């Protein structure tokens, strides 16, 4: 047999039964490994010079288009004073003619000495401009008076609020669904803007060893860019600018009742009955994505008890509980995989009830329904989650970048329930790896390190009993993520018959001692070297 390529002289951590030293590729798939490659002829041979090879990293929950667009926005993640936010906005204002938009992103009120910015501060920083600064979670924004005055404040959507400031007038802070008030001004995003964002984001992803992603919400709601978002991804692919394999979670707002025969099982979804699984190896439709609640660091997620030091605040749901349950039931009954954003422990409880009711009414063995984030998980609810066959999708990097804010919101008595990892594995659950980028930095090697160490940015441990071994963390970012989107037959491990997606590294990431020094040397998708350091 003559193959397209043989990648040799490597330490291949296959993620399967045994490791190897070489990979032979034909038509984008692995056809032989190790000693079996010696007698093969190849169009090209690639000497990996002893590098460690692992399956391509797979981010099970990210926002690629949002991240790509944020690269043009004013970065606020390093701000430590509210005045730093204003100074950064003022600097951008001096560079632009008045009358246009200035958008900043990534601030965290937990890291600012003055809390959230205000519209008055933004007015002073950028007079004559339309200003929006986005919280790192994506669950809230602060806007200037020039923006606020253009919003229909008499019709704030259910599941959000416009926070008052001193004297009762709006402070400029829009939380959760109240951000939809901005849509007449900014939505839909032009398709060309989305394509450019995907291209820019994809280039960085390849440099980080990412070969597959799951886009956590398109087509509507808080994170969707345009009703034509699938077409934007297709356009990027047509132009060779969709650089990583992409599974698209469709916002629940984009689904609707379908005209159907009374005996048809599909009654709810996208036009033509499209649902989870439609597509190919590069671009496909994944779960329906629905929001149950908000943010832990923003203190808007739905909790059973008050946030620490915040009497009376238990957060809230983004949609009424009965509507949430019915949407989940309809999607499940029509064959969709469902991914529900639930962060607070009360939201997790309600979502578990909704899944249990849907499964009881419409039994389905291999549904792989998910709870995105699943940030505050009580022991009894962990048992229920595992018993229902659900997949929790937590983010290891949150512990480092957002951990101090999460600890402050929960208090010591609830810290051990925060972003659980080992407990999920011990309960028999499949654990994916993900970042929620751009909420935090999205490089998988950073996420793997934080899944192992569980340190906040101030050096405090956060639920250290939930730490993983390095090998478990790598498996989450490869095989676990593939399973979470029904791709384990093609992705997640390196075996004959699977897609030839892998990353060459300077050290072994399954070795805890190497986590501080390991770097990406090269990324391969479908047997093609798409990034080389």
């Amino acid at each position: 047999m003559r193959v397209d390529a043989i990648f040799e002289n490597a330490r291949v951590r296959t993620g399967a039964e045994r490791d190897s030293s070489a990979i032979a590729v034909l038509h984008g798939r692995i056809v032989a490994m190790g000693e079996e490659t010696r007698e093969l002829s190849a169009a090209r041979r690639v000497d990996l010079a002893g590098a460690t090879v692992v399956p391509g990293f797979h981010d099970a929950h990210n926002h690629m288009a949002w991240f790509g667009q944020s690269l043009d926005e004013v970065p606020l993640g390093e701000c430590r004073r509210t005045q730093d936010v204003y100074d950064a906005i003022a600097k951008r204002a001096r560079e632009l003619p008045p009358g246009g938009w200035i958008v900043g992103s990534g601030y965290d009120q937990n890291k600012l000495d003055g809390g959230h910015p205000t519209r008055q501060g933004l007015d002073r920083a950028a007079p004559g401009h339309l200003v929006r600064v986005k919280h790192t979670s994506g669950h809230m924004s602060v806007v200037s008076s020039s923006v606020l005055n253009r919003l229909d404040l008499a019709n704030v959507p259910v599941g959000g609020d416009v926070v008052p400031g001193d004297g009762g007038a709006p402070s400029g802070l829009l939380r959760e669904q109240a951000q939809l008030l901005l849509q007449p001004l900014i939505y839909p995003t032009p398709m060309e803007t989305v394509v450019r964002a995907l291209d820019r984001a994809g280039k960085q992803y390849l440099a980080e060893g990412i070969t597959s992603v799951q886009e956590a919400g398109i087509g509507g709601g808080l994170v969707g860019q345009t009703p034509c978002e699938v077409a934007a991804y297709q356009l990027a692919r047509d132009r060779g600018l969709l650089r990583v394999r992409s599974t698209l979670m469709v916002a629940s707002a984009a689904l609707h009742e379908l005209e159907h025969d009374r005996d048809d099982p599909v009654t709810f979804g996208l036009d033509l009955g499209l649902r989870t699984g439609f597509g190919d190896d590069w671009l496909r439709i994944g779960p329906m994505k629905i929001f149950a609640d908000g943010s832990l660091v923003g203190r808007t997620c739905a909790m059973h008890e008050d946030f620490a030091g915040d009497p009376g605040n238990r957060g809230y749901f983004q949609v009424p509980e009965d509507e949430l349950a019915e949407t989940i039931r309809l999607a499940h009954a029509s064959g969709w995989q469902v991914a529900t954003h639930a962060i607070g422990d009360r939201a997790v409880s309600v979502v578990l009830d909704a899944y249990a009711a849907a499964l009881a009414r419409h039994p389905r063995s291999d549904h792989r329904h998910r709870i995105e984030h699943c940030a505050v998980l009580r022991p009894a609810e962990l048992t229920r989650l595992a018993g229902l066959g659900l997949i929790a999708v937590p983010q290891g990097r949150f512990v480092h970048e957002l951990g101090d804010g999460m600890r402050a919101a929960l208090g010591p008595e609830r810290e051990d329930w925060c972003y659980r990892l080992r407990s999920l594995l011990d309960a028999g659950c499949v654990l994916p790896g993900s970042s929620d980028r751009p909420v935090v930095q999205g490089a998988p090697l950073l996420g793997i390190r934080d899944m192992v160490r569980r340190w906040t940015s101030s050096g405090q441990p956060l639920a250290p009993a939930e730490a993983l071994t390095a090998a478990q963390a790598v498996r989450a970012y490869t095989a676990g993520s593939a399973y979470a989107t029904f791709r384990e037959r093609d992705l997640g491990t390196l075996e004959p018959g699977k897609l030839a997606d892998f990353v060459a590294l300077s050290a072994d990431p399954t070795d805890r001692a190497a986590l501080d020094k390991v770097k990406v040397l090269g990324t391969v998708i479908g047997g093609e070297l798409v990034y080389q350091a």
Side-chain angles (χ1 to χ4, degrees), residues 473-521:
V474 170
R475 184 166 182 80
Y477 256 103
T478 52
S481 293
Y483 181 87
T485 192
F486 294 93
R487 297 304 311 278
E488 71 274 13
R489 291 184 179 179
D490 293 316
L491 302 171
T493 59
L494 298 175
E495 303 173 79
K498 292 196 171 185
L499 291 166
D501 295 1
F502 52 88
V503 56
L505 302 168
S506 63
D508 186 351
T510 66
D511 177 4
R512 180 188 178 109
L515 291 179
D516 284 327
K517 61 183 180 181
V518 61
K519 299 182 184 303
V520 174
L521 302 178

CSV table of all heavy atoms in Angstrom, one decimal, residues 473-521:
chain,number,residue,atom,x,y,z
A,473,ALA,N,-7.1,14.6,32.6
A,473,ALA,CA,-7.4,15.9,32.0
A,473,ALA,C,-7.2,15.9,30.5
A,473,ALA,O,-8.0,16.4,29.7
A,473,ALA,CB,-6.5,17.0,32.6
A,474,VAL,N,-6.1,15.2,30.0
A,474,VAL,CA,-5.9,15.1,28.6
A,474,VAL,C,-7.0,14.3,27.9
A,474,VAL,O,-7.5,14.7,26.8
A,474,VAL,CB,-4.5,14.5,28.3
A,474,VAL,CG1,-4.4,14.2,26.8
A,474,VAL,CG2,-3.4,15.5,28.7
A,475,ARG,N,-7.4,13.2,28.6
A,475,ARG,CA,-8.5,12.4,28.0
A,475,ARG,C,-9.8,13.2,27.9
A,475,ARG,O,-10.6,13.1,27.0
A,475,ARG,CB,-8.7,11.2,28.9
A,475,ARG,CG,-9.7,10.2,28.3
A,475,ARG,CD,-9.7,8.9,28.9
A,475,ARG,NE,-10.7,8.0,28.3
A,475,ARG,CZ,-10.5,7.4,27.1
A,475,ARG,NH1,-9.4,7.5,26.5
A,475,ARG,NH2,-11.5,6.6,26.6
A,476,ALA,N,-10.0,14.1,28.9
A,476,ALA,CA,-11.2,14.9,28.8
A,476,ALA,C,-11.2,15.8,27.6
A,476,ALA,O,-12.2,15.9,26.9
A,476,ALA,CB,-11.4,15.8,30.1
A,477,TYR,N,-10.1,16.4,27.3
A,477,TYR,CA,-9.9,17.3,26.2
A,477,TYR,C,-9.8,16.6,24.8
A,477,TYR,O,-9.7,17.3,23.8
A,477,TYR,CB,-8.7,18.2,26.4
A,477,TYR,CG,-9.1,19.7,26.8
A,477,TYR,CD1,-8.9,20.1,28.1
A,477,TYR,CD2,-9.6,20.6,25.9
A,477,TYR,CE1,-9.3,21.3,28.5
A,477,TYR,CE2,-9.9,21.9,26.3
A,477,TYR,CZ,-9.7,22.2,27.6
A,477,TYR,OH,-10.1,23.5,28.0
A,478,THR,N,-9.9,15.3,24.8
A,478,THR,CA,-9.8,14.6,23.6
A,478,THR,C,-11.0,13.6,23.5
A,478,THR,O,-12.0,13.9,22.9
A,478,THR,CB,-8.5,13.8,23.5
A,478,THR,OG1,-8.2,13.0,24.7
A,478,THR,CG2,-7.3,14.8,23.4
A,479,ALA,N,-10.9,12.4,24.1
A,479,ALA,CA,-12.0,11.4,24.0
A,479,ALA,C,-13.3,11.9,24.7
A,479,ALA,O,-14.4,11.6,24.2
A,479,ALA,CB,-11.5,10.1,24.6
A,480,GLY,N,-13.1,12.6,25.8
A,480,GLY,CA,-14.4,13.0,26.5
A,480,GLY,C,-15.2,14.0,25.6
A,480,GLY,O,-16.4,13.9,25.6
A,481,SER,N,-14.5,15.0,25.0
A,481,SER,CA,-15.2,15.9,24.2
A,481,SER,C,-15.8,15.3,23.0
A,481,SER,O,-16.9,15.7,22.5
A,481,SER,CB,-14.2,17.1,23.8
A,481,SER,OG,-13.9,17.8,24.9
A,482,ALA,N,-15.1,14.3,22.4
A,482,ALA,CA,-15.6,13.6,21.2
A,482,ALA,C,-16.9,12.9,21.5
A,482,ALA,O,-17.9,13.0,20.8
A,482,ALA,CB,-14.6,12.7,20.6
A,483,TYR,N,-16.9,12.2,22.7
A,483,TYR,CA,-18.1,11.5,23.1
A,483,TYR,C,-19.3,12.5,23.3
A,483,TYR,O,-20.4,12.1,23.0
A,483,TYR,CB,-17.8,10.7,24.4
A,483,TYR,CG,-19.0,9.9,24.9
A,483,TYR,CD1,-19.2,8.6,24.4
A,483,TYR,CD2,-19.9,10.4,25.8
A,483,TYR,CE1,-20.3,7.9,24.8
A,483,TYR,CE2,-20.9,9.7,26.2
A,483,TYR,CZ,-21.2,8.4,25.8
A,483,TYR,OH,-22.2,7.7,26.2
A,484,ALA,N,-19.0,13.6,23.9
A,484,ALA,CA,-20.0,14.6,24.2
A,484,ALA,C,-20.8,15.1,23.0
A,484,ALA,O,-21.9,15.6,23.1
A,484,ALA,CB,-19.5,15.7,25.0
A,485,THR,N,-20.2,14.9,21.8
A,485,THR,CA,-20.9,15.3,20.6
A,485,THR,C,-21.1,14.1,19.6
A,485,THR,O,-21.1,14.4,18.4
A,485,THR,CB,-20.2,16.5,19.9
A,485,THR,OG1,-21.1,17.1,18.9
A,485,THR,CG2,-18.9,16.2,19.4
A,486,PHE,N,-21.1,12.9,20.1
A,486,PHE,CA,-21.3,11.7,19.2
A,486,PHE,C,-20.2,11.6,18.2
A,486,PHE,O,-20.5,11.1,17.1
A,486,PHE,CB,-22.7,11.8,18.5
A,486,PHE,CG,-23.9,11.7,19.5
A,486,PHE,CD1,-24.5,12.9,20.0
A,486,PHE,CD2,-24.4,10.5,19.9
A,486,PHE,CE1,-25.6,12.8,20.8
A,486,PHE,CE2,-25.5,10.4,20.7
A,486,PHE,CZ,-26.1,11.6,21.2
A,487,ARG,N,-19.0,11.9,18.5
A,487,ARG,CA,-17.9,11.8,17.5
A,487,ARG,C,-16.9,10.8,17.8
A,487,ARG,O,-15.8,10.8,17.2
A,487,ARG,CB,-17.3,13.2,17.3
A,487,ARG,CG,-18.2,14.3,16.7
A,487,ARG,CD,-18.9,14.0,15.4
A,487,ARG,NE,-18.0,13.4,14.4
A,487,ARG,CZ,-17.2,14.2,13.6
A,487,ARG,NH1,-17.2,15.5,13.7
A,487,ARG,NH2,-16.5,13.6,12.7
A,488,GLU,N,-17.1,9.9,18.8
A,488,GLU,CA,-16.1,9.0,19.3
A,488,GLU,C,-15.7,8.0,18.2
A,488,GLU,O,-14.6,7.4,18.3
A,488,GLU,CB,-16.5,8.3,20.5
A,488,GLU,CG,-17.6,7.3,20.4
A,488,GLU,CD,-19.0,7.8,20.5
A,488,GLU,OE1,-19.2,9.1,20.4
A,488,GLU,OE2,-19.9,7.0,20.6
A,489,ARG,N,-16.5,7.8,17.2
A,489,ARG,CA,-16.1,6.8,16.1
A,489,ARG,C,-15.0,7.5,15.2
A,489,ARG,O,-14.3,6.7,14.5
A,489,ARG,CB,-17.3,6.4,15.3
A,489,ARG,CG,-18.3,5.6,16.0
A,489,ARG,CD,-19.4,5.2,15.1
A,489,ARG,NE,-20.4,4.3,15.8
A,489,ARG,CZ,-21.4,3.8,15.2
A,489,ARG,NH1,-21.7,4.0,13.9
A,489,ARG,NH2,-22.3,3.0,15.9
A,490,ASP,N,-14.9,8.8,15.2
A,490,ASP,CA,-13.9,9.5,14.3
A,490,ASP,C,-12.8,10.2,15.1
A,490,ASP,O,-11.8,10.4,14.5
A,490,ASP,CB,-14.7,10.4,13.4
A,490,ASP,CG,-15.6,9.8,12.5
A,490,ASP,OD1,-15.2,8.8,11.8
A,490,ASP,OD2,-16.8,10.2,12.3
A,491,LEU,N,-13.1,10.6,16.3
A,491,LEU,CA,-12.2,11.6,17.0
A,491,LEU,C,-11.9,11.1,18.4
A,491,LEU,O,-12.6,10.2,18.9
A,491,LEU,CB,-12.8,13.0,17.0
A,491,LEU,CG,-13.2,13.6,15.7
A,491,LEU,CD1,-14.0,14.9,16.0
A,491,LEU,CD2,-11.9,14.0,14.9
A,492,GLY,N,-11.0,11.7,19.0
A,492,GLY,CA,-10.7,11.5,20.5
A,492,GLY,C,-9.6,10.5,20.8
A,492,GLY,O,-9.0,10.7,21.9
A,493,THR,N,-9.4,9.5,20.0
A,493,THR,CA,-8.2,8.7,20.1
A,493,THR,C,-7.6,8.5,18.8
A,493,THR,O,-8.1,8.8,17.7
A,493,THR,CB,-8.6,7.3,20.7
A,493,THR,OG1,-9.6,6.7,19.8
A,493,THR,CG2,-9.2,7.4,22.1
A,494,LEU,N,-6.3,8.0,18.8
A,494,LEU,CA,-5.6,7.8,17.6
A,494,LEU,C,-5.5,6.3,17.3
A,494,LEU,O,-4.8,5.5,17.9
A,494,LEU,CB,-4.2,8.3,17.7
A,494,LEU,CG,-4.1,9.9,17.9
A,494,LEU,CD1,-2.7,10.3,18.1
A,494,LEU,CD2,-4.8,10.6,16.7
A,495,GLU,N,-6.4,5.8,16.3
A,495,GLU,CA,-6.5,4.4,16.0
A,495,GLU,C,-6.8,4.3,14.5
A,495,GLU,O,-7.4,5.2,13.9
A,495,GLU,CB,-7.6,3.8,16.8
A,495,GLU,CG,-7.5,3.9,18.3
A,495,GLU,CD,-8.8,3.4,18.9
A,495,GLU,OE1,-8.9,2.1,19.0
A,495,GLU,OE2,-9.6,4.2,19.4
A,496,PRO,N,-6.4,3.2,13.9
A,496,PRO,CA,-6.8,3.0,12.5
A,496,PRO,C,-8.3,3.1,12.2
A,496,PRO,O,-9.1,2.6,13.0
A,496,PRO,CB,-6.3,1.5,12.2
A,496,PRO,CG,-5.1,1.4,13.1
A,496,PRO,CD,-5.5,2.1,14.4
A,497,GLY,N,-8.6,3.9,11.2
A,497,GLY,CA,-10.0,4.1,10.8
A,497,GLY,C,-10.5,5.5,11.3
A,497,GLY,O,-11.4,6.0,10.7
A,498,LYS,N,-9.8,6.1,12.2
A,498,LYS,CA,-10.2,7.4,12.7
A,498,LYS,C,-9.5,8.5,12.0
A,498,LYS,O,-8.5,8.3,11.3
A,498,LYS,CB,-9.9,7.5,14.2
A,498,LYS,CG,-10.8,6.6,15.1
A,498,LYS,CD,-10.8,7.0,16.5
A,498,LYS,CE,-11.8,6.3,17.3
A,498,LYS,NZ,-11.9,6.7,18.7
A,499,LEU,N,-10.1,9.7,12.1
A,499,LEU,CA,-9.5,10.9,11.4
A,499,LEU,C,-8.1,11.2,11.9
A,499,LEU,O,-7.9,11.1,13.2
A,499,LEU,CB,-10.4,12.1,11.6
A,499,LEU,CG,-11.8,12.0,10.8
A,499,LEU,CD1,-12.8,13.0,11.3
A,499,LEU,CD2,-11.6,12.1,9.3
A,500,ALA,N,-7.2,11.6,11.1
A,500,ALA,CA,-5.8,11.8,11.4
A,500,ALA,C,-5.7,13.2,11.9
A,500,ALA,O,-5.1,14.1,11.3
A,500,ALA,CB,-4.9,11.5,10.3
A,501,ASP,N,-6.3,13.5,13.1
A,501,ASP,CA,-6.2,14.8,13.8
A,501,ASP,C,-5.3,14.6,15.0
A,501,ASP,O,-5.7,13.9,16.0
A,501,ASP,CB,-7.6,15.3,14.2
A,501,ASP,CG,-8.5,15.6,13.0
A,501,ASP,OD1,-8.1,15.4,11.9
A,501,ASP,OD2,-9.6,16.0,13.2
A,502,PHE,N,-4.2,15.3,15.1
A,502,PHE,CA,-3.4,15.2,16.3
A,502,PHE,C,-2.4,16.4,16.4
A,502,PHE,O,-2.3,17.2,15.5
A,502,PHE,CB,-2.5,13.9,16.2
A,502,PHE,CG,-1.7,13.6,15.0
A,502,PHE,CD1,-0.5,14.1,14.8
A,502,PHE,CD2,-2.3,12.9,13.9
A,502,PHE,CE1,0.3,13.9,13.7
A,502,PHE,CE2,-1.6,12.7,12.8
A,502,PHE,CZ,-0.3,13.2,12.6
A,503,VAL,N,-1.8,16.4,17.6
A,503,VAL,CA,-0.9,17.6,17.9
A,503,VAL,C,0.4,17.0,18.4
A,503,VAL,O,0.4,16.1,19.2
A,503,VAL,CB,-1.6,18.5,18.9
A,503,VAL,CG1,-2.0,17.8,20.2
A,503,VAL,CG2,-0.7,19.7,19.3
A,504,ALA,N,1.5,17.6,17.9
A,504,ALA,CA,2.8,17.3,18.4
A,504,ALA,C,3.3,18.3,19.4
A,504,ALA,O,3.2,19.5,19.2
A,504,ALA,CB,3.8,17.3,17.2
A,505,LEU,N,3.8,17.8,20.6
A,505,LEU,CA,4.1,18.6,21.7
A,505,LEU,C,5.5,18.4,22.1
A,505,LEU,O,6.2,17.4,21.9
A,505,LEU,CB,3.2,18.2,22.9
A,505,LEU,CG,1.7,18.3,22.6
A,505,LEU,CD1,0.9,17.7,23.8
A,505,LEU,CD2,1.3,19.8,22.5
A,506,SER,N,6.1,19.4,22.8
A,506,SER,CA,7.5,19.4,23.2
A,506,SER,C,7.7,18.5,24.4
A,506,SER,O,8.8,18.1,24.7
A,506,SER,CB,7.9,20.8,23.6
A,506,SER,OG,7.2,21.3,24.7
A,507,ALA,N,6.6,18.1,25.1
A,507,ALA,CA,6.8,17.2,26.3
A,507,ALA,C,5.4,16.5,26.4
A,507,ALA,O,4.5,16.8,25.8
A,507,ALA,CB,7.1,18.1,27.6
A,508,ASP,N,5.4,15.6,27.4
A,508,ASP,CA,4.2,14.7,27.5
A,508,ASP,C,3.2,15.4,28.5
A,508,ASP,O,3.5,15.5,29.7
A,508,ASP,CB,4.7,13.4,28.1
A,508,ASP,CG,3.6,12.3,28.2
A,508,ASP,OD1,2.4,12.7,28.0
A,508,ASP,OD2,3.9,11.2,28.5
A,509,PRO,N,2.1,15.8,28.0
A,509,PRO,CA,1.1,16.5,28.8
A,509,PRO,C,0.4,15.5,29.9
A,509,PRO,O,-0.2,16.0,30.8
A,509,PRO,CB,0.1,17.0,27.8
A,509,PRO,CG,0.1,16.0,26.7
A,509,PRO,CD,1.5,15.6,26.6
A,510,THR,N,0.6,14.2,29.7
A,510,THR,CA,0.1,13.3,30.7
A,510,THR,C,1.0,13.2,31.9
A,510,THR,O,0.6,12.5,32.9
A,510,THR,CB,-0.2,11.9,30.1
A,510,THR,OG1,1.0,11.3,29.8
A,510,THR,CG2,-1.1,12.0,28.9
A,511,ASP,N,2.1,13.9,31.9
A,511,ASP,CA,3.1,13.9,33.0
A,511,ASP,C,2.9,15.2,33.7
A,511,ASP,O,3.2,16.3,33.2
A,511,ASP,CB,4.5,13.8,32.4
A,511,ASP,CG,5.6,13.9,33.5
A,511,ASP,OD1,5.2,14.0,34.7
A,511,ASP,OD2,6.8,13.9,33.1
A,512,ARG,N,2.4,15.2,34.9
A,512,ARG,CA,2.1,16.4,35.7
A,512,ARG,C,3.4,17.3,35.8
A,512,ARG,O,3.2,18.5,35.7
A,512,ARG,CB,1.7,16.0,37.1
A,512,ARG,CG,1.4,17.2,38.0
A,512,ARG,CD,1.1,16.8,39.4
A,512,ARG,NE,0.8,17.9,40.3
A,512,ARG,CZ,-0.3,18.3,40.8
A,512,ARG,NH1,-1.4,17.5,40.5
A,512,ARG,NH2,-0.5,19.3,41.5
A,513,ALA,N,4.6,16.7,35.9
A,513,ALA,CA,5.8,17.5,36.0
A,513,ALA,C,6.1,18.3,34.8
A,513,ALA,O,6.8,19.3,34.8
A,513,ALA,CB,7.0,16.6,36.3
A,514,ALA,N,5.4,18.0,33.6
A,514,ALA,CA,5.7,18.7,32.3
A,514,ALA,C,4.7,19.8,32.0
A,514,ALA,O,4.9,20.5,31.1
A,514,ALA,CB,5.7,17.7,31.2
A,515,LEU,N,3.7,20.0,32.9
A,515,LEU,CA,2.6,20.9,32.5
A,515,LEU,C,3.1,22.3,32.4
A,515,LEU,O,2.5,23.1,31.6
A,515,LEU,CB,1.5,20.8,33.6
A,515,LEU,CG,0.8,19.5,33.6
A,515,LEU,CD1,-0.3,19.4,34.6
A,515,LEU,CD2,0.1,19.2,32.2
A,516,ASP,N,4.2,22.8,33.1
A,516,ASP,CA,4.6,24.1,33.0
A,516,ASP,C,5.5,24.4,31.7
A,516,ASP,O,5.7,25.6,31.4
A,516,ASP,CB,5.4,24.6,34.2
A,516,ASP,CG,4.5,24.8,35.4
A,516,ASP,OD1,3.3,25.3,35.2
A,516,ASP,OD2,4.9,24.5,36.5
A,517,LYS,N,6.0,23.4,31.1
A,517,LYS,CA,6.9,23.6,30.0
A,517,LYS,C,6.4,23.1,28.7
A,517,LYS,O,7.0,23.4,27.6
A,517,LYS,CB,8.2,22.9,30.3
A,517,LYS,CG,8.2,21.4,30.5
A,517,LYS,CD,9.5,20.9,31.0
A,517,LYS,CE,9.5,19.3,31.2
A,517,LYS,NZ,10.8,18.8,31.6
A,518,VAL,N,5.4,22.3,28.6
A,518,VAL,CA,4.9,21.7,27.4
A,518,VAL,C,4.4,22.8,26.4
A,518,VAL,O,3.7,23.7,26.8
A,518,VAL,CB,3.9,20.6,27.6
A,518,VAL,CG1,2.6,21.2,28.3
A,518,VAL,CG2,3.5,19.9,26.3
A,519,LYS,N,4.8,22.7,25.1
A,519,LYS,CA,4.4,23.6,24.1
A,519,LYS,C,3.9,22.9,22.9
A,519,LYS,O,4.4,21.7,22.6
A,519,LYS,CB,5.5,24.6,23.7
A,519,LYS,CG,6.0,25.4,24.9
A,519,LYS,CD,7.2,26.4,24.4
A,519,LYS,CE,7.7,27.1,25.6
A,519,LYS,NZ,6.7,27.9,26.3
A,520,VAL,N,3.1,23.5,22.1
A,520,VAL,CA,2.6,23.0,20.8
A,520,VAL,C,3.7,23.2,19.7
A,520,VAL,O,4.1,24.3,19.5
A,520,VAL,CB,1.3,23.6,20.4
A,520,VAL,CG1,0.9,23.1,19.0
A,520,VAL,CG2,0.2,23.3,21.4
A,521,LEU,N,4.1,22.1,19.1
A,521,LEU,CA,5.1,22.1,18.0
A,521,LEU,C,4.4,22.1,16.6
A,521,LEU,O,4.9,22.7,15.7
A,521,LEU,CB,6.1,21.0,18.1
A,521,LEU,CG,6.9,20.9,19.4
A,521,LEU,CD1,7.8,19.6,19.4
A,521,LEU,CD2,7.7,22.1,19.7
